[in-house]
Structures are given as structure tokens and as C-alpha cells.
Amino acid sequence: MLSWVDLSDSDAGGAPAFAEDEWLIEAYYKVQVTPFVSVQPDLQFFVNPGGDNTVDDAWVGSIRLVVSF
């Protein structure tokens, strides 16, 4: 998945906010371990998190375990 957020160049009062666009790239895959159990790893990469170019880009990872009864 690719996500793009176009942030305003000014804050609510009209003053410059120095915001940058935020980008998110996400990849995931579902592995069916058994007929009722699956595992889904997920990896995300944020560019300009929150639109603030002074904040470092960020990696986020997670694992989802699904058990169906």
C-alpha cells in the first residue's frame, strides 16, 4: 500500500506551518499456518511523519495472529 497526505502550507491562523507531505509505504503478507490459524507480518515506512520534516523517518513493524474458532 502507498499512502500520501498533502498537508496545508499554513496553520489555522494563516501563519506558515512549514509542513511537508507525509508518505506511508506498507507491505504485509498472510501465512495460513493451519486451517484455523494464520500469521500476518506487517512492515510500514513513514516519510515525514506528521508532516514534520524535522522528525526522522520511521519504521514500524507488527505481527498479527488470527485464530478462528
Side-chain angles (χ1 to χ4, degrees), residues 3 5 7-8 10 13-14 16 20 23 25 27-28 36 38 42 47 50-52 59 61-62 67-69:
S3 172
V5 179
L7 299 169
S8 173
S10 62
E20 295 288 330
W23 290 86
I25 301 168
Y28 63 91
F36 57 90
S38 64
D42 179 48
V47 179
D52 188 349
W59 287 96
S62 67
V67 178
S68 301
F69 294 98

Side-chain angles (χ1 to χ4, degrees), residues 8-43:
S8 173
D9 291 334
S10 62
D11 66 8
F18 305 107
E20 295 288 330
D21 295 346
E22 178 183 281
W23 290 86
L24 166 65
I25 301 168
E26 180 178 19
Y28 63 91
Y29 188 76
K30 182 177 179 182
V31 178
Q32 195 71 41
V33 180
T34 69
F36 57 90
V37 175
S38 64
V39 177
Q40 185 173 346
D42 179 48
L43 185 62

Side-chain angles (χ1 to χ4, degrees), residues 38-61:
S38 64
V39 177
Q40 185 173 346
D42 179 48
L43 185 62
Q44 302 173 357
F45 180 64
F46 290 86
V47 179
N48 295 328
D52 188 349
N53 62 2
T54 62
V55 175
D56 291 339
D57 296 342
W59 287 96
V60 177

